[in-house]
Amino acid sequence: MQPHLQPRPLRLRRHLHLAPPFLLDDGSYLPRYQLLSSIAAAKKRAQADAHLRNCKLCPRRCGVNRYERTGFCLIGDTVKVSVIAPHFGEEPCIQGHHGSGAVFFSGFCQNYDISHQRSGFDLTPEELGEWYLKLQEVGNVRNINLVTPEHVVPQVALSILHARDLGLTVPIVYNTSAFDSPASLELLDGLVDIYLADMKAWNRDTSKRLLKADDYATAARESIKAMHAQVGDLCFTPDGIAKKGVLLRHLVMPGLVGEGEQIMRWLGQHVSTDLYVNIMEQYRPDAHVGKPKRSSASSERISPLARTAAAEPGEVPEQSPKRYEDINRPVTLDEVSQVRKAAEEAGLWSFCDAAEHGGFNI
């Protein structure tokens, strides 16, 4: 008598978080610069040289000949680099286990010591391209991550083309504040695989006061649309590493939740509801934030020590008004949650979230 055969339990299939068109075949992706013909590459080189001779590539449009003098960014025909190294401070899909091959450029929007103090060393485009090869071959990085390169786009274009000739094979990440011009992004088309872009502010007044560029929001909106038109939504290989597309960051600022909500609505309506978004909470006061305001009035030029001595016994001395007092604090979790809710209501769904197990989420 045959024993009663129990039906074998069905094996549950593992469902991938992403499916085509967001999932690429492993090992099949070729960086965009590898697809350029020799004629297209020569045209890019000529365009980069022409831009250096009459530079209007960032929205400040100085129009200077950078072989002879500098414009607003104070950078000529070379680049000033603060750090070149594998970097583990980016999104997991960008850095992987080996890090992102980061090149931190001095002289534009970046951390205080890099942008304001312009620390670093000078490199020609060719020397810069040779560093990309070192990052690839020695650092075994997943990509070359160009951090705040908006003011050195011609040199960056030349460096990528030089590195291609030397054997570069990893994707290029253009890590930008989005204060780019259409001409700049046109030069980068075909050279950049991933646009890692910020959308910092929405209102003109906020841009003027905090970013010292009253046209930032307008320029950023046009730039982000152009970036998405070039490379589309972010695509990954099965190991969770991004290869091509746009990753949009928004740093939530204290007291400016309304602007964050407007940005999320605009992204959903005018860019893509499939856009990969990182809503960030890392803001901390730095640089000039929280410092005493400057005043030309002689009566206000009193040292803190003198102000304390002048106070009556038991009286709290008058405090100097602080610069940027409204953002002199971290953001709250409630503020971050409000922006996230606005994003979801706008139809956005692809977010850079921390792993639920608390570990590395690759």
Side-chain angles (χ1 to χ4, degrees):
M1 179 175 168
Q2 291 286 339
H4 180 66
L5 297 178
Q6 296 291 335
R8 299 178 69 181
L10 293 175
R11 293 185 63 186
L12 295 177
R13 295 185 62 185
R14 178 175 176 268
H15 292 282
L16 294 175
H17 176 63
L18 295 172
F22 309 110
L23 190 65
L24 303 172
D25 289 336
D26 195 11
S28 66
Y29 181 75
L30 271 180
R32 298 179 77 216
Y33 58 82
Q34 291 282 359
L35 304 177
L36 287 177
S37 68
S38 58
I39 295 175
K43 287 181 178 179
K44 292 285 186 190
R45 288 189 172 95
Q47 290 169 354
D49 179 71
H51 283 305
L52 283 172
R53 295 183 186 279
N54 181 22
C55 188
K56 297 180 180 178
L57 277 188
C58 92
R60 301 200 186 270
R61 298 178 59 84
C62 299
V64 302
N65 183 341
R66 294 175 67 170
Y67 290 110
E68 298 176 353
R69 63 190 182 94
T70 63
F72 187 91
C73 66
L74 302 179
I75 302 293
D77 59 329
T78 59
V79 299
K80 186 174 287 293
V81 175
S82 176
V83 176
I84 301 179
H87 182 52
F88 294 88
E90 306 290 18
E91 288 80 357
C93 64
I94 298 294
Q95 68 184 35
H97 293 287
H98 298 283
S100 178
V103 180
F104 288 87
F105 294 98
S106 297
F108 211 69
C109 303
Q110 186 45 263
N111 301 329
Y112 174 71
D113 57 338
I114 299 176
S115 62
H116 290 244
Q117 299 177 6
R118 298 181 65 250
S119 60
F121 53 97
D122 296 322
L123 295 173
T124 66
E126 292 73 25
E127 290 169 335
L128 181 61
E130 289 158 14
W131 270 103
Y132 301 164
L133 267 293
K134 293 177 186 177
L135 287 168
Q136 174 181 277
E137 295 171 0
V138 179
N140 195 25
V141 297
R142 293 290 192 162
N143 47 59
I144 301 301
N145 181 5
L146 308 171
V147 185
T148 59
E150 296 94 310
H151 57 310
V152 290
V153 166
Q155 298 95 314
V156 160
L158 293 170
S159 69
I160 295 170
L161 293 169
H162 181 65
R164 180 183 86 146
D165 293 343
L166 297 177
L168 189 69
T169 59
V170 295
I172 299 292
V173 179
Y174 185 76
N175 193 335
T176 172
S177 69
F179 195 53
D180 296 284
S181 70
S184 178
L185 295 174
E186 181 182 351
L187 179 59
L188 292 169
D189 193 7
L191 299 174
V192 169
D193 301 278
I194 296 172
Y195 285 102
L196 180 52
D198 286 339
M199 184 71 180
K200 295 177 179 292
W202 180 262
N203 293 333
R204 185 181 182 89
D205 290 344
T206 303
S207 301
K208 182 177 182 179
R209 187 171 69 92
L210 299 183
L211 307 178
K212 309 308 176 191
D214 53 2
D215 58 340
Y216 167 79
T218 301
R221 286 193 288 268
E222 293 306 311
S223 295
I224 290 166
K225 287 194 291 186
M227 294 171 193
H228 190 267
Q230 285 185 22
V231 296
D233 296 309
L234 201 62
C235 297
F236 307 78
T237 44
D239 57 0
I241 301 299
K243 298 291 184 180
K244 179 180 76 75
V246 176
L247 193 163
L248 195 287
R249 289 170 167 172
H250 173 65
L251 179 64
V252 181
M253 296 290 290
L256 297 176
V257 168
E259 295 199 30
E261 292 172 336
Q262 287 179 295
I263 288 169
M264 294 304 136
R265 286 192 286 268
W266 179 81
L267 292 172
Q269 293 172 6
H270 298 283
V271 182
S272 171
T273 53
D274 295 326
L275 190 68
Y276 194 81
V277 178
N278 186 2
I279 298 173
M280 304 168 71
E281 59 187 47
Q282 294 97 319
Y283 171 77
R284 61 181 175 84
D286 202 352
H288 300 297
V289 176
K291 290 183 178 178
K293 285 186 177 180
R294 298 181 215 158
S295 174
S296 59
S298 59
S299 62
E300 306 228 350
R301 281 189 238 139
I302 304 174
S303 70
L305 182 61
R307 187 176 293 110
T308 301
E312 294 294 331
E315 180 182 340
V316 177
E318 181 184 351
Q319 296 295 317
S320 299
K322 299 291 193 299
R323 302 178 70 183
Y324 307 106
E325 183 65 32
D326 56 320
I327 59 169
N328 189 27
R329 64 171 177 85
V331 298
T332 66
L333 291 179
D334 184 58
E335 288 174 315
V336 176
S337 297
Q338 289 180 61
V339 176
R340 172 63 176 257
K341 181 181 178 183
E344 293 173 350
E345 290 175 350
L348 298 168
W349 61 274
S350 188
F351 298 104
C352 181
D353 291 329
E356 292 183 4
H357 52 69
F360 197 62
N361 55 347
I362 281 289

